[in-house]
Amino acid sequence: QLLVTPTAALSIRLIGDYSHQKQHYVLNIPVGYFSSYDSGATIANNILLRASRAGYALPTADPFARKGDSDGHYQAYMKSYGGSAQIDWDLGKVALTSITAYRWWDWDPANDGDSTGLPVLTKAQQANRQRQFSQELRIGSTGRNVVDWTAGLYYFWQTVRGYGASAYGSAAPNWYLPAANPAIANAALNGFEADSYSEPVTKSYAAFGQANWNISDTLSLTGGLRYTHEDKSGVYRQYWVAGTDLSSLSAADTAAVTAIRNQFNPRASYNVGLKDDSLSGLATLSWKATPDVLLYGSYSRGSKSGGLNLTNIPTGAVAQVEPETVDNFELGLKSQWLDKTVTFNAAAFWTEVADYQTAITAQTTLGTTIQYISNIPKVRSRGIEGDLSYAPSKWIGLTASATYVDATYRSYTNAPQAPERNAALNPTQDLTGEQLPGVPKFTYTLGADLARPLGGGAIEIYGHADYSHRSSFNTSSSNSHYAQVPGYGILNARIGIRDGDGRWDLSIWARNLADKDYYQALSVNSFGLVTGTIGDPRTFGATLRTRL
């Protein structure tokens, strides 16, 4: 960062950053296998049959042994860099602010898409090149007035160029198509690769304003409006780049091979776009019951702009995703007690969402997956949250927080069917009333900070510990019981020594100190394979921070 102050009223802050990440993981870990539906009927071409035909010994389903199987390369390479310039100009009664920013983000993953040691799906990856520019201009009042206000304009541009690749190996024909003519299946899939190109482009324009009316020393009313226009366009192309040359086959065999390839990665080419206009706003009434107790109530209405599905969308799905509309009500308390040594905040909220946008993972009868975005008619999230802190001195701090969330589908009668409930017979299900995926109903966190000065206060020794717990939650869009993650709690700790002025800080730390086994996510496919992303084991490290 570089701060330039030509005058006392004008400041220019320039910020640049760069990060480079090279990771070789995450190997999908087998959690379990099943070969029959909940009804007892056998799953055709299930995971056990596939492995048996291939003469392949499935890895033991012992996830916390942290062993998987793969014959492909795993990586998650990322580069991110950007810059911004903020200009603040104080004109006395008003101040002007300009923020200009540009960012790059390059993402290069690689995966063994079948989670086995067989050459089935040898490539399943999507590299992205994201570029974005934003410009914000604001003008606002300064100091404290009867009415404090701000207004501004905002522009945003983004493009994400995506390069996808799906490739199949020598084990693919037998794995996916046991009933097909072996020669045709082999010509169709062995060595077959389909690449894709996608590029969504977004242009967003907004005008906004907010005012705070200080009705009295204890009562204030805040209101704001934002108008947004978004213009999105996208292109999707999928094409075949490798595999048996169709010109070497007879007309009948060419037709058969083409039909199989179209089941997996059909040639595709389409352009799509949408425009969206939305008006969002908020109103908040705040009352200071005492100098240290604030009560407030608020209502806000917002929207998430529509989107584009630039992929092989399944039958029944659409390329355009409708805008999402959110109405939120909140009542809250912010307070301090016992000479400000105790802080207690609490809030109750109720949120109604129309045309909720969510990621769907659809399973095909072949055992492949398609991911896309879809709208759900109605979703509701309601709950309460609170946090409490106690700091009897600058050397001791205790914290606690808890949240209860009831986030459910209020209308979702055509949800994708769970793999264990036979999607071939019942392709959809009614999930109305079920909890949203990835949302635990109850979470809480406890923390403690202790410090002690040494050498007359020039040096401090300190310690920190925190424990966070979340109740069980599901991680599938179909509410599969195989994707139910059990509740878990994680203990972290840190002990260190630092300069009293904060110029340096040396600490050793431990994450997941109790070495708790837990899942971050569970995934289920249509032929009986359950895989998981598991949490990190107990991890130790050291950190040195310095400040000039």
Side-chain angles (χ1 to χ4, degrees):
Q1 296 190 30
L2 175 65
L3 177 64
V4 181
T5 54
T7 69
L10 180 65
S11 67
I12 303 171
R13 184 180 297 273
L14 304 176
I15 302 175
D17 66 88
Y18 172 82
S19 63
H20 187 191
Q21 169 184 290
K22 295 184 72 174
Q23 300 175 332
H24 295 280
Y25 82 106
V26 171
L27 184 66
N28 286 327
I29 303 297
V31 174
Y33 311 102
F34 61 98
S35 58
S36 61
Y37 298 113
D38 286 352
S39 65
T42 299
I43 300 174
N45 199 22
N46 61 65
I47 181 66
L48 302 182
L49 294 175
R50 296 180 188 220
S52 177
R53 286 197 310 270
Y56 170 67
L58 290 166
T60 302
D62 182 13
F64 296 106
R66 303 181 185 275
K67 293 182 179 179
D69 204 359
S70 171
D71 65 327
H73 177 61
Y74 276 80
Q75 74 177 44
Y77 292 174
M78 183 273 292
K79 289 183 180 179
S80 176
Y81 38 106
S84 67
Q86 178 171 334
I87 302 174
D88 292 293
W89 189 11
D90 189 342
L91 299 176
K93 292 185 177 181
V94 298
L96 296 175
T97 297
S98 170
I99 304 175
T100 307
Y102 194 93
R103 290 208 63 80
W104 297 257
W105 180 69
D106 295 342
W107 172 246
D108 290 291
N111 302 283
D112 180 348
D114 53 75
S115 302
T116 72
L118 294 170
V120 179
L121 186 55
T122 56
K123 282 186 183 180
Q125 57 201 55
Q126 174 81 14
N128 289 319
R129 300 289 181 269
Q130 175 180 281
R131 305 292 183 264
Q132 67 181 54
F133 168 81
S134 63
Q135 174 64 55
E136 181 174 343
L137 295 172
R138 290 197 312 265
I139 183 171
S141 61
T142 59
R144 180 174 174 83
N145 309 282
V146 175
V147 176
D148 299 314
W149 58 273
T150 185
L153 299 172
Y154 181 76
Y155 172 75
F156 174 78
W157 169 87
Q158 180 191 64
T159 182
V160 185
R161 298 189 301 275
Y163 303 90
S166 299
Y168 303 85
S170 58
N174 184 45
W175 186 262
Y176 290 116
L177 304 168
N181 181 321
I184 296 298
N186 190 69
L189 292 183
N190 187 8
F192 171 55
E193 180 176 340
D195 289 357
S196 66
Y197 175 77
S198 59
E199 184 179 7
V201 178
T202 299
K203 293 180 181 179
S204 178
Y205 311 82
F208 58 89
Q210 181 169 308
N212 186 65
W213 177 21
N214 299 301
I215 302 171
S216 70
D217 290 339
T218 60
L219 188 65
S220 65
L221 176 64
T222 302
L225 288 173
R226 181 185 183 98
Y227 170 79
T228 304
H229 170 79
E230 290 208 336
D231 192 342
K232 295 187 177 184
S233 61
V235 58
Y236 179 74
R237 308 280 185 267
Q238 183 161 261
Y239 42 92
W240 299 346
V241 298
T244 298
D245 185 359
L246 298 184
S247 65
S248 65
L249 304 177
S250 67
D253 288 350
T254 296
V257 167
T258 300
I260 290 174
R261 289 180 177 179
N262 282 333
Q263 288 182 280
F264 288 82
N265 300 89
R267 291 188 178 105
S269 178
Y270 67 85
N271 293 65
V272 65
L274 61 84
K275 293 183 179 181
D276 178 44
D277 295 278
S278 64
L279 182 65
S280 57
L282 65 88
T284 302
L285 184 64
S286 302
W287 175 50
K288 276 196 169 185
T290 73
D292 294 327
V293 176
L294 173 70
L295 301 171
Y296 69 90
S298 70
Y299 165 74
S300 61
R301 181 178 178 86
S303 67
K304 181 188 292 185
S305 64
L308 305 175
N309 278 313
L310 301 179
T311 184
N312 273 322
I313 54 178
T315 302
V318 294
Q320 294 99 338
V321 182
E322 293 297 319
E324 175 183 295
T325 304
V326 181
D327 290 286
N328 180 71
F329 303 85
E330 184 173 335
L331 294 173
L333 162 72
K334 296 181 181 294
S335 64
Q336 290 187 310
W337 309 86
L338 301 180
D339 197 25
K340 300 185 184 297
T341 60
V342 175
T343 299
F344 175 67
N345 303 319
F349 57 89
W350 187 297
T351 304
E352 299 277 353
V353 186
D355 290 319
Y356 177 73
Q357 297 173 5
T358 188
I360 301 292
T361 300
Q363 304 282 340
T364 70
T365 55
L366 296 167
T368 57
T369 60
I370 302 174
Q371 293 183 323
Y372 63 100
I373 304 297
S374 184
N375 292 105
I376 295 172
K378 290 184 180 180
V379 163
R380 183 185 67 200
S381 176
R382 58 185 180 180
I384 56 175
E385 58 186 3
D387 61 82
L388 176 68
S389 65
Y390 175 52
S393 74
K394 65 177 292 187
W395 310 111
I396 300 174
L398 304 175
T399 60
S401 63
T403 303
Y404 173 81
V405 179
D406 174 39
T408 57
Y409 301 112
R410 303 312 300 158
S411 176
Y412 194 19
T413 58
N414 63 335
Q417 186 59 271
E420 67 270 19
R421 292 192 280 273
N422 198 346
L425 293 178
N426 303 291
T428 62
Q429 60 177 323
D430 187 354
L431 289 182
T432 302
E434 296 294 334
Q435 187 85 351
L436 293 181
V439 183
K441 280 200 169 185
F442 184 66
T443 59
Y444 69 88
T445 300
L446 303 173
D449 289 279
L450 302 173
R452 181 171 181 176
L454 300 174
I459 295 176
E460 298 174 2
I461 186 170
Y462 68 93
H464 169 82
D466 62 77
Y467 177 80
S468 58
H469 184 274
R470 57 179 52 194
S471 60
S472 65
F473 56 97
N474 200 282
T475 57
S476 72
S477 58
S478 63
N479 203 37
S480 168
H481 62 70
Y482 288 108
Q484 190 71 22
V485 174
Y488 61 87
I490 301 299
L491 176 64
N492 304 311
R494 178 185 297 268
I495 186 170
I497 188 169
R498 62 196 175 199
D499 177 78
D501 294 329
R503 289 174 297 177
W504 56 267
D505 184 326
L506 176 63
S507 64
I508 57 174
W509 47 262
R511 292 195 296 262
N512 192 8
L513 183 61
D515 203 21
K516 173 69 176 179
D517 291 336
Y518 67 99
Y519 298 105
Q520 294 178 327
L522 292 169
S523 300
V524 191
N525 68 27
S526 60
F527 56 89
L529 173 62
V530 184
T531 59
T533 303
I534 59 179
D536 289 340
R538 180 167 46 221
T539 305
F540 296 100
T543 300
L544 172 64
R545 291 188 177 93
T546 61
R547 185 181 60 145
L548 300 178

